[in-house]
């Protein structure tokens, strides 16, 4: 079980790290702001959510199951599911996201995530150095978490652009058999971003709207800034997706062109060999009365004839620009 908790109280400069048993009293204290962080799925975590925070059973089930981003309003708190870039799988060709469940109340924030969450680690280290952020209120803690989660998409999209630029150059190289695989990996990663981003963009738009529970009016510009950042990320992802599709179209065109060149060469060779095969076939017949068979110069004459025919065809093809 890994349950971490931090709290600040009005008039107290210390950053408190309460135990699970102390949380209930702090949650009832109107002068306290509490942040609880969970990174496992277990009985103790479930008991904390249901007994201490009194969350509904269906909400607790959503916490421990994977889901797309969403925002739900409940009496006394907001429940958000957000997706961030997984720190172990943040390459364009191998991208995964992790789920961050976030509960925002008037004086508390609760987060649940896998064992690794860069956003949680960043904000946790920040408040340990200086708990001023928590003294501002729960909404500002939630803002810091979401802001860091969204910011992680920016360098990822920049890396996507660099990878696509390199891919565009590799398309025209003759010996790069992995190009198509790389293109499809990029398309899959961008589809993941789009599937998550469509819902996450709507969540962030909702958070910037006046009247959202537990988000004070003075905090709305900060959430609006997050929304603007993510909209730029989403637009950039669409742009990169179009570039990848263009690269796929170019790759197919290049492969078709190369195949056409191969077919053209084979066709020219077949056309050259056709009259030669005809001559060889005629003189390969076993008839008794074939005057040329008894001619002293018949064999070299046929070879010269074949060479003349082949040379004439080559000159004709060259003049027509076929090779």
């Amino acid at each position: 079980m890994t349950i971490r908790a931090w709290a600040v109280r009005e008039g107290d400069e210390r950053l408190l790290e309460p135990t699970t048993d102390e949380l209930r009293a702090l949650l009832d204290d109107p002068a306290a702001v509490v942040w609880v962080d969970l990174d496992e799925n277990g009985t103790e975590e479930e008991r904390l959510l249901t007994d201490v925070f009194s969350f509904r059973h269906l909400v607790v089930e959503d916490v421990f199951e994977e889901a797309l981003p969403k925002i739900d309003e409940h009496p006394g708190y907001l429940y958000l599911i957000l997706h961030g870039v997984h720190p172990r799988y943040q390459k364009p060709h191998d991208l995964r996201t992790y789920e961050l469940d976030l509960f925002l109340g008037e004086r508390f924030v609760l987060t649940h995530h896998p064992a690794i969450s860069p956003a949680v680690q960043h904000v946790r280290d920040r408040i340990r150095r200086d708990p001023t952020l928590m003294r501002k209120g729960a909404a500002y803690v939630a803002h810091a978490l979401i802001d860091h989660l969204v910011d992680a998409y920016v360098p990822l999209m920049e890396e996507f652009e660099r990878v696509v630029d390199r891919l565009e150059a590799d398309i025209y190289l003759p010996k790069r058999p992995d190009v198509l695989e790389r293109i499809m990996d990029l398309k899959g990663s961008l589809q993941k971003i789009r599937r998550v981003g469509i819902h996450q963009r709507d969540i962030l738009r909702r958070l910037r709207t006046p009247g959202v529970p537990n988000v004070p009016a003075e905090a709305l510009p900060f959430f609006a800034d997050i929304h603007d950042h993510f909209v730029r990320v989403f637009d950039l992802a669409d742009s990169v997706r179009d570039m990848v599709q263009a690269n796929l179209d170019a790759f197919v065109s290049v492969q078709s062109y190369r195949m056409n060149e191969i077919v053209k060469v084979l066709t020219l060779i077949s056309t050259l060999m056709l009259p030669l095969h005809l001559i060889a076939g005629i003189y390969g017949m076993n008839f008794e009365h074939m005057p040329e068979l008894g001619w002293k110069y018949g064999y070299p004459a046929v070879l010269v004839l074949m060479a003349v025919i082949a040379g004439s065809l080559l000159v004709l093809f060259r003049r027509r620009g076929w090779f």
Side-chain angles (χ1 to χ4, degrees), residues 33-34 55 76-79 102-110 137-139 142 213-215:
V33 175
V34 179
F55 295 148
Y77 63 90
L78 286 175
Y79 174 44
L102 190 151
F103 294 85
L104 174 59
E106 182 181 0
R107 293 179 293 101
F108 75 85
V109 174
L110 186 143
N214 304 318
V215 179

Side-chain angles (χ1 to χ4, degrees), residues 76-92:
Y77 63 90
L78 286 175
Y79 174 44
L80 296 86
I81 299 179
L82 302 165
H83 281 243
V85 180
H86 199 294
R88 291 181 180 173
Y89 305 95
Q90 53 184 344
K91 299 297 183 182

Side-chain angles (χ1 to χ4, degrees), residues 99-274:
E99 181 179 316
L100 175 66
D101 299 276
L102 190 151
F103 294 85
L104 174 59
E106 182 181 0
R107 293 179 293 101
F108 75 85
V109 174
L110 186 143
T111 51
H112 173 268
H113 55 88
I116 299 176
S117 172
V120 170
Q121 291 178 352
H122 172 78
V123 179
R124 180 184 63 202
D125 294 341
R126 178 179 171 183
I127 65 169
R128 281 176 171 173
R129 292 192 305 267
D130 183 4
T132 303
L133 177 66
M134 287 196 66
R135 293 195 182 94
K136 290 182 178 180
Y140 290 90
V141 177
H143 165 265
L145 289 165
I146 300 172
D147 185 48
H148 192 276
L149 183 142
V150 168
D151 286 345
Y153 282 92
V154 176
L156 174 65
M157 297 315 304
E158 293 174 350
E159 180 63 21
F160 261 105
E161 288 187 311
R162 288 191 289 267
V163 169
V164 171
D165 288 341
R166 291 195 296 267
L167 181 63
E168 185 175 1
D170 291 344
I171 286 175
Y172 302 99
L173 297 179
K175 295 182 179 180
R176 290 306 298 265
D178 62 333
V179 168
L180 181 59
E181 181 181 354
R182 289 159 58 193
I183 290 176
M184 300 313 295
D185 287 343
L186 288 174
K187 284 177 67 68
S189 295
L190 288 166
Q191 184 60 32
K192 291 177 184 177
I193 294 178
R194 180 172 180 78
R195 185 172 61 250
V196 168
I198 289 176
H199 302 282
Q200 197 144 291
R201 181 183 57 184
D202 294 338
I203 292 173
L204 298 176
R205 182 188 298 116
R206 179 76 179 92
L207 288 174
R208 70 179 296 175
T209 306
V212 179
N214 304 318
V215 179
E218 58 271 17
L220 290 178
F222 297 98
F223 285 96
D225 184 64
I226 296 177
H227 174 257
D228 293 340
H229 285 176
F230 193 77
V231 166
R232 286 195 291 270
V233 168
F234 190 77
D235 291 343
L236 186 56
D238 274 348
S239 176
V240 174
R241 192 162 57 91
D242 292 340
M243 293 168 60
V244 172
Q245 182 61 46
N247 283 339
L248 178 59
D249 295 340
F251 174 79
V252 172
S253 298
V254 169
Q255 293 301 108
S256 298
Y257 174 78
R258 289 173 180 166
M259 183 60 67
N260 290 338
E261 288 296 305
I262 293 173
V263 171
K264 184 174 73 173
V265 171
L266 295 176
T267 302
L268 291 176
I269 293 174
S270 300
T271 305
L272 285 173
M273 297 301 296
L274 184 61

